[in-house]
Amino acid sequence: MILTGKLKVIVLLMTQKCNRRECTVSSDSLPPLSYILPDTREGGTFSKCLMYNGSALDGASVVPCQHGWEYDDTWYPQTVPSEMNWVCDDMHIVSDVMFYAQNIGAVLGLLFGYMGDMYGRRPLQLACVVMHVVSRVVMMYTTSLLPLFVVAESLVVGAAGVMLECSVSVGTELTDIRNRSCVNCMAYVGIPIGLVSACLCVQIFPGWKHSLLFAVLCCLVLLLFCRWFPESPRWLTCRGREEEALSVLRRVAATNGSSLPPFTLQVLHRVAKAKRDRVGYLAIFSSWNLFKNTLLLAMARSLCWVTMVALVLSVGIISVNPLVAVSAQAVAQAASVLLQHYCGTHFGRRWSSVACLALVGLLGALCVVLLTVGVPSVAMAVVVMAMQFWSTAGAGVINLQSIEVHPTCLRQITASVECTVAGVCMSLVPYIVFQGGSVDRRLPFAILSAMHLLGALSVSFLPETALQRLPESLQDAAEFGRGRPYWSWRLIAPPSYVQGQ
């Protein structure tokens, strides 16, 4: 989980530095700046990308900076853009790297998701951890080779979301209906822990390569625990391997100092019926109900992920210490995960996700108003932290809904489709935040506000999943949630609830 937060701060390091470059000159005795730098202003300052080829008094022409740039290292000692001088005419490289890495990673995510449902959750988890290691090592040596650098970054982009989904899926599939939200909560707490850890890492280590080495070390440690990562008994049963599933369950029960409940074989026989289902991406279209739920969840997940990343990147727009701002957002995320667990358990998943998205939309509109009237940056930081709070809460609820709505035989495939759609949408975030923010600082918040208000209405049509038995087959998914009234607020448990099914 730490690696997920680490990824976001690496993105932050790739972007914030570009806004802090200064054109330097070589003379030891400097005339007034107006004789050296063009008098066209950029945000109330002299140009940071152009200079006179001589003195302005002599009618010299304007040329790009000839002596390099000096970077403000107040927050970051060294980043990729400062090392490679991705500024001025090359400033677009930062957004381009993130754009192409997100889209290539989205395609790779589809492959990883297919692997999870065809070959098992355990091999998928191992492959994702290896991709993290390979990606970070390759990135350290390919900054001058942009295509390889983009491919290396895309490896971890494709693996990160699926890796999280895989671990939560296994935990959920091993847990009874009363504790599924608890498993999801524990998993999502790792994201803010990762953000804070990454901020501390930036403070401790002098450059971006050292931060990547720290991420590699975390992955290598995680590899040591992969041997204890169990295969999903439900997946094994869906593949016709009931004896192996029973063996896994017995081992888990022995580890917990308990025995298998009497209804275990009954559940396994019911799950085994799904082995006749066709598995693959086309199975998503096997019923309108399954397709509709996948589409709505993909849209909702995209909104939450886009907002979480956009708010991390927006710390440059609101002019505050980026490390403090990101850490504050991480604290808000941790609190939101706990609130999400409480609300999802007591009030259901559907209306909890609707409330979260609606509140993010209203807070985004408030940001537009505050930027219009010109409030202190501290006030903006507080509102942005509140947006991060509710956006993370919404992401947690929607992730749990996705696991509970989709059948076991398609759980990883549908999750990868949702992550792919979210990844493609996230590739537009740098352009929205940096390009849109340079035109009007209110524009990114206005876009987020409008999308979330529309998203809140859309997710209200998802079925309630709290206290409901996990669908195992395509037929279960086709019927899941049908016939329930739209304005339903009560959580109704099926008869199997008393058995923990």
Side-chain angles (χ1 to χ4, degrees):
M1 296 307 115
I2 290 179
L3 300 175
T4 307
K6 184 74 177 174
L7 194 62
K8 295 182 181 178
V9 176
I10 291 298
V11 172
L12 176 66
L13 297 182
M14 292 179 60
T15 56
Q16 290 299 314
K17 205 66 171 186
C18 297
N19 296 325
R20 298 184 179 277
R21 78 279 184 194
E22 295 289 349
C23 179
T24 61
V25 293
S26 59
S27 175
D28 295 331
S29 178
L30 297 177
L33 282 177
S34 58
Y35 294 172
I36 303 173
L37 301 178
D39 56 6
T40 55
R41 302 296 180 100
E42 296 180 355
T45 62
F46 287 100
S47 174
K48 298 178 180 180
C49 298
L50 304 173
M51 63 180 294
Y52 288 114
N53 188 19
S55 174
L57 295 178
D58 300 330
S61 59
V62 175
V63 297
C65 286
Q66 302 295 301
H67 308 290
W69 291 266
E70 291 181 359
Y71 293 89
D72 181 359
D73 58 0
T74 303
W75 313 121
Y76 317 125
Q78 186 186 49
T79 65
V80 179
S82 65
E83 180 179 306
M84 302 303 297
N85 287 323
W86 290 345
V87 294
C88 297
D89 291 341
D90 291 332
M91 187 170 60
H92 65 91
I93 293 178
V94 176
S95 296
D96 290 345
V97 167
M98 298 174 68
F99 175 82
Y100 289 112
Q102 283 290 344
N103 283 280
I104 296 174
V107 176
L108 291 176
L110 291 175
L111 176 62
F112 290 140
Y114 184 80
M115 176 181 175
D117 276 333
M118 293 302 296
Y119 303 106
R121 304 346 184 188
R122 194 169 185 271
L124 174 61
Q125 188 76 358
L126 178 61
C128 288
V129 177
V130 172
M131 288 299 101
H132 276 74
V133 175
V134 172
S135 169
R136 294 325 188 188
V137 172
V138 173
M139 285 180 66
M140 289 188 289
Y141 300 100
T142 58
T143 50
S144 59
L145 301 172
L146 272 181
L148 289 179
F149 187 81
V150 170
V151 171
E153 175 65 12
S154 66
L155 290 178
V156 75
V157 171
V162 178
M163 179 180 174
L164 176 62
E165 291 293 334
C166 177
S167 59
V168 178
S169 292
V170 173
T172 304
E173 290 167 355
L174 281 168
T175 308
D176 62 34
I177 61 179
R178 291 165 293 187
N179 297 305
R180 291 199 300 250
S181 180
C182 183
V183 171
N184 187 68
C185 175
M186 289 189 292
Y188 264 78
V189 165
I191 296 179
I193 292 175
L195 277 173
V196 174
S197 301
C199 289
L200 293 176
C201 177
V202 171
Q203 293 283 353
I204 295 172
F205 298 113
W208 66 275
K209 290 185 178 180
H210 298 86
S211 298
L212 288 186
L213 283 174
F214 178 75
V216 170
L217 178 61
C218 292
C219 291
L220 292 176
V221 172
L222 194 58
L223 277 174
L224 299 177
F225 293 93
C226 280
R227 60 178 297 186
W228 289 290
F229 187 82
E231 185 55 86
S232 167
R234 290 179 183 267
W235 178 83
L236 288 171
T237 307
C238 284
R239 305 299 291 180
R241 297 155 62 179
E242 295 181 48
E243 291 299 325
E244 292 181 53
L246 194 59
S247 175
V248 172
L249 289 173
R250 285 171 177 163
R251 188 169 65 250
V252 172
T255 302
N256 294 329
S258 61
S259 59
L260 294 179
F263 53 80
T264 301
L265 291 178
Q266 175 187 348
V267 175
L268 291 180
H269 291 324
R270 188 183 68 235
V271 175
K273 296 178 181 178
K275 65 185 179 183
R276 297 189 298 268
D277 288 337
R278 177 183 178 184
V279 179
Y281 286 98
L282 292 180
I284 297 175
F285 303 94
S286 61
S287 67
W288 164 248
N289 195 46
L290 176 58
F291 173 73
K292 178 205 69 174
N293 291 337
T294 303
L295 182 64
L296 292 177
L297 287 165
M299 182 191 68
R301 190 189 294 267
S302 300
L303 283 175
C304 292
W305 284 21
V306 163
T307 304
M308 291 166 66
V309 175
L311 293 178
V312 171
L313 298 182
S314 69
V315 294
I317 297 178
I318 59 179
S319 303
V320 294
N321 183 331
L323 299 180
V324 173
V326 172
S327 297
Q329 291 184 27
V331 173
Q333 286 182 340
S336 71
V337 170
L338 299 177
L339 179 65
Q340 163 262 311
H341 169 54
Y342 177 84
C343 293
T345 301
H346 292 82
F347 305 109
R349 327 297 198 215
R350 184 164 69 110
W351 293 114
S352 295
S353 59
V354 170
C356 290
L357 294 181
L359 285 169
V360 173
L362 294 175
L363 289 169
L366 178 60
C367 285
V368 174
V369 174
L370 294 179
L371 288 172
T372 302
V373 300
V375 298
S377 58
V378 175
M380 273 297 300
V382 171
V383 178
V384 168
M385 185 171 68
M387 288 183 68
Q388 190 69 274
F389 179 96
W390 292 110
S391 180
T392 306
V397 177
I398 290 163
N399 180 74
L400 185 56
Q401 283 181 293
S402 175
I403 293 173
E404 294 176 331
V405 161
H406 294 124
T408 302
C409 58
L410 282 181
R411 195 157 287 135
Q412 291 301 307
I413 286 179
T414 50
S416 68
V417 169
E418 294 167 15
C419 291
T420 296
V421 175
V424 172
C425 294
M426 286 170 62
S427 67
L428 302 176
V429 171
Y431 298 101
I432 295 174
V433 174
F434 301 128
Q435 307 283 343
S438 63
V439 176
D440 190 333
R441 294 194 303 166
R442 299 171 296 180
L443 185 59
F445 297 103
I447 294 174
L448 292 177
S449 175
M451 290 194 305
H452 276 80
L453 292 176
L454 178 61
L457 175 63
S458 299
V459 298
S460 67
F461 294 99
L462 287 170
E464 181 56 68
T465 60
L467 304 184
Q468 301 301 311
R469 180 173 59 83
L470 289 176
E472 308 294 352
S473 64
L474 295 180
Q475 182 61 32
D476 291 343
E479 298 174 357
F480 191 84
R482 282 188 172 181
R484 299 176 193 171
Y486 178 83
W487 295 109
S488 173
W489 299 89
R490 295 180 58 189
L491 301 181
I492 302 176
S496 59
Y497 176 79
V498 296
Q499 297 181 323
Q501 300 290 317

mmCIF file with all atom_site columns, all heavy atoms in Angstrom, residues 34 48 91 127 254 304 395 399 428 439 468:
data_model
loop_
_atom_site.group_PDB
_atom_site.id
_atom_site.type_symbol
_atom_site.label_atom_id
_atom_site.label_alt_id
_atom_site.label_comp_id
_atom_site.label_asym_id
_atom_site.label_entity_id
_atom_site.label_seq_id
_atom_site.pdbx_PDB_ins_code
_atom_site.Cartn_x
_atom_site.Cartn_y
_atom_site.Cartn_z
_atom_site.occupancy
_atom_site.B_iso_or_equiv
_atom_site.pdbx_formal_charge
_atom_site.auth_seq_id
_atom_site.auth_comp_id
_atom_site.auth_asym_id
_atom_site.auth_atom_id
_atom_site.pdbx_PDB_model_num
ATOM 1  N N   . SER A 1 34  ? 15.982  44.878  -16.546 1.00 0.00 ? 34  SER A N   1
ATOM 2  C CA  . SER A 1 34  ? 15.235  45.299  -17.726 1.00 0.00 ? 34  SER A CA  1
ATOM 3  C C   . SER A 1 34  ? 16.139  45.407  -18.954 1.00 0.00 ? 34  SER A C   1
ATOM 4  O O   . SER A 1 34  ? 15.652  45.425  -20.078 1.00 0.00 ? 34  SER A O   1
ATOM 5  C CB  . SER A 1 34  ? 14.560  46.651  -17.465 1.00 0.00 ? 34  SER A CB  1
ATOM 6  O OG  . SER A 1 34  ? 15.530  47.631  -17.130 1.00 0.00 ? 34  SER A OG  1
ATOM 7  N N   . LYS A 1 48  ? 11.110  34.113  -17.629 1.00 0.00 ? 48  LYS A N   1
ATOM 8  C CA  . LYS A 1 48  ? 12.004  33.081  -17.101 1.00 0.00 ? 48  LYS A CA  1
ATOM 9  C C   . LYS A 1 48  ? 12.564  32.196  -18.207 1.00 0.00 ? 48  LYS A C   1
ATOM 10 O O   . LYS A 1 48  ? 13.319  31.267  -17.918 1.00 0.00 ? 48  LYS A O   1
ATOM 11 C CB  . LYS A 1 48  ? 11.247  32.217  -16.090 1.00 0.00 ? 48  LYS A CB  1
ATOM 12 C CG  . LYS A 1 48  ? 10.755  32.987  -14.884 1.00 0.00 ? 48  LYS A CG  1
ATOM 13 C CD  . LYS A 1 48  ? 9.962   32.087  -13.950 1.00 0.00 ? 48  LYS A CD  1
ATOM 14 C CE  . LYS A 1 48  ? 9.461   32.864  -12.751 1.00 0.00 ? 48  LYS A CE  1
ATOM 15 N NZ  . LYS A 1 48  ? 8.674   32.019  -11.817 1.00 0.00 ? 48  LYS A NZ  1
ATOM 16 N N   . MET A 1 91  ? 8.760   22.258  -21.495 1.00 0.00 ? 91  MET A N   1
ATOM 17 C CA  . MET A 1 91  ? 7.909   22.037  -20.330 1.00 0.00 ? 91  MET A CA  1
ATOM 18 C C   . MET A 1 91  ? 6.790   21.035  -20.622 1.00 0.00 ? 91  MET A C   1
ATOM 19 O O   . MET A 1 91  ? 6.315   20.332  -19.726 1.00 0.00 ? 91  MET A O   1
ATOM 20 C CB  . MET A 1 91  ? 7.315   23.357  -19.850 1.00 0.00 ? 91  MET A CB  1
ATOM 21 C CG  . MET A 1 91  ? 6.556   23.251  -18.535 1.00 0.00 ? 91  MET A CG  1
ATOM 22 S SD  . MET A 1 91  ? 6.111   24.869  -17.848 1.00 0.00 ? 91  MET A SD  1
ATOM 23 C CE  . MET A 1 91  ? 5.099   25.518  -19.167 1.00 0.00 ? 91  MET A CE  1
ATOM 24 N N   . ALA A 1 127 ? 3.423   -10.779 -9.897  1.00 0.00 ? 127 ALA A N   1
ATOM 25 C CA  . ALA A 1 127 ? 3.815   -10.073 -11.118 1.00 0.00 ? 127 ALA A CA  1
ATOM 26 C C   . ALA A 1 127 ? 3.779   -8.555  -10.922 1.00 0.00 ? 127 ALA A C   1
ATOM 27 O O   . ALA A 1 127 ? 4.655   -7.836  -11.414 1.00 0.00 ? 127 ALA A O   1
ATOM 28 C CB  . ALA A 1 127 ? 2.892   -10.478 -12.270 1.00 0.00 ? 127 ALA A CB  1
ATOM 29 N N   . ALA A 1 254 ? -6.659  -22.854 10.436  1.00 0.00 ? 254 ALA A N   1
ATOM 30 C CA  . ALA A 1 254 ? -5.657  -23.311 11.397  1.00 0.00 ? 254 ALA A CA  1
ATOM 31 C C   . ALA A 1 254 ? -4.784  -22.151 11.870  1.00 0.00 ? 254 ALA A C   1
ATOM 32 O O   . ALA A 1 254 ? -4.431  -22.063 13.052  1.00 0.00 ? 254 ALA A O   1
ATOM 33 C CB  . ALA A 1 254 ? -4.792  -24.400 10.764  1.00 0.00 ? 254 ALA A CB  1
ATOM 34 N N   . CYS A 1 304 ? -13.135 9.711   -8.860  1.00 0.00 ? 304 CYS A N   1
ATOM 35 C CA  . CYS A 1 304 ? -12.405 9.753   -7.587  1.00 0.00 ? 304 CYS A CA  1
ATOM 36 C C   . CYS A 1 304 ? -10.908 9.752   -7.800  1.00 0.00 ? 304 CYS A C   1
ATOM 37 O O   . CYS A 1 304 ? -10.179 10.527  -7.169  1.00 0.00 ? 304 CYS A O   1
ATOM 38 C CB  . CYS A 1 304 ? -12.823 8.569   -6.716  1.00 0.00 ? 304 CYS A CB  1
ATOM 39 S SG  . CYS A 1 304 ? -14.524 8.657   -6.138  1.00 0.00 ? 304 CYS A SG  1
ATOM 40 N N   . ALA A 1 395 ? -13.874 6.962   -3.085  1.00 0.00 ? 395 ALA A N   1
ATOM 41 C CA  . ALA A 1 395 ? -13.090 5.923   -3.767  1.00 0.00 ? 395 ALA A CA  1
ATOM 42 C C   . ALA A 1 395 ? -13.142 4.619   -2.997  1.00 0.00 ? 395 ALA A C   1
ATOM 43 O O   . ALA A 1 395 ? -13.233 3.535   -3.594  1.00 0.00 ? 395 ALA A O   1
ATOM 44 C CB  . ALA A 1 395 ? -11.641 6.392   -3.935  1.00 0.00 ? 395 ALA A CB  1
ATOM 45 N N   . ASN A 1 399 ? -14.814 1.271   -4.524  1.00 0.00 ? 399 ASN A N   1
ATOM 46 C CA  . ASN A 1 399 ? -13.985 0.075   -4.678  1.00 0.00 ? 399 ASN A CA  1
ATOM 47 C C   . ASN A 1 399 ? -14.671 -1.144  -4.063  1.00 0.00 ? 399 ASN A C   1
ATOM 48 O O   . ASN A 1 399 ? -14.684 -2.232  -4.645  1.00 0.00 ? 399 ASN A O   1
ATOM 49 C CB  . ASN A 1 399 ? -12.631 0.307   -4.015  1.00 0.00 ? 399 ASN A CB  1
ATOM 50 C CG  . ASN A 1 399 ? -11.719 -0.901  -4.128  1.00 0.00 ? 399 ASN A CG  1
ATOM 51 O OD1 . ASN A 1 399 ? -11.180 -1.178  -5.192  1.00 0.00 ? 399 ASN A OD1 1
ATOM 52 N ND2 . ASN A 1 399 ? -11.534 -1.626  -3.036  1.00 0.00 ? 399 ASN A ND2 1
ATOM 53 N N   . LEU A 1 428 ? -5.353  12.902  -18.496 1.00 0.00 ? 428 LEU A N   1
ATOM 54 C CA  . LEU A 1 428 ? -5.731  14.284  -18.827 1.00 0.00 ? 428 LEU A CA  1
ATOM 55 C C   . LEU A 1 428 ? -5.517  15.241  -17.664 1.00 0.00 ? 428 LEU A C   1
ATOM 56 O O   . LEU A 1 428 ? -5.600  16.455  -17.842 1.00 0.00 ? 428 LEU A O   1
ATOM 57 C CB  . LEU A 1 428 ? -7.200  14.332  -19.251 1.00 0.00 ? 428 LEU A CB  1
ATOM 58 C CG  . LEU A 1 428 ? -7.588  13.446  -20.446 1.00 0.00 ? 428 LEU A CG  1
ATOM 59 C CD1 . LEU A 1 428 ? -9.091  13.523  -20.681 1.00 0.00 ? 428 LEU A CD1 1
ATOM 60 C CD2 . LEU A 1 428 ? -6.828  13.857  -21.696 1.00 0.00 ? 428 LEU A CD2 1
ATOM 61 N N   . VAL A 1 439 ? -4.357  29.198  -17.494 1.00 0.00 ? 439 VAL A N   1
ATOM 62 C CA  . VAL A 1 439 ? -5.331  30.105  -18.119 1.00 0.00 ? 439 VAL A CA  1
ATOM 63 C C   . VAL A 1 439 ? -6.191  30.772  -17.058 1.00 0.00 ? 439 VAL A C   1
ATOM 64 O O   . VAL A 1 439 ? -6.384  31.996  -17.049 1.00 0.00 ? 439 VAL A O   1
ATOM 65 C CB  . VAL A 1 439 ? -6.211  29.333  -19.117 1.00 0.00 ? 439 VAL A CB  1
ATOM 66 C CG1 . VAL A 1 439 ? -7.298  30.243  -19.690 1.00 0.00 ? 439 VAL A CG1 1
ATOM 67 C CG2 . VAL A 1 439 ? -5.360  28.760  -20.229 1.00 0.00 ? 439 VAL A CG2 1
ATOM 68 N N   . GLN A 1 468 ? -25.160 -8.176  1.435   1.00 0.00 ? 468 GLN A N   1
ATOM 69 C CA  . GLN A 1 468 ? -25.622 -9.044  0.364   1.00 0.00 ? 468 GLN A CA  1
ATOM 70 C C   . GLN A 1 468 ? -24.556 -10.099 0.053   1.00 0.00 ? 468 GLN A C   1
ATOM 71 O O   . GLN A 1 468 ? -23.363 -9.842  0.156   1.00 0.00 ? 468 GLN A O   1
ATOM 72 C CB  . GLN A 1 468 ? -25.923 -8.226  -0.898  1.00 0.00 ? 468 GLN A CB  1
ATOM 73 C CG  . GLN A 1 468 ? -26.978 -7.155  -0.702  1.00 0.00 ? 468 GLN A CG  1
ATOM 74 C CD  . GLN A 1 468 ? -28.305 -7.716  -0.238  1.00 0.00 ? 468 GLN A CD  1
ATOM 75 O OE1 . GLN A 1 468 ? -28.826 -8.672  -0.813  1.00 0.00 ? 468 GLN A OE1 1
ATOM 76 N NE2 . GLN A 1 468 ? -28.865 -7.117  0.806   1.00 0.00 ? 468 GLN A NE2 1
#
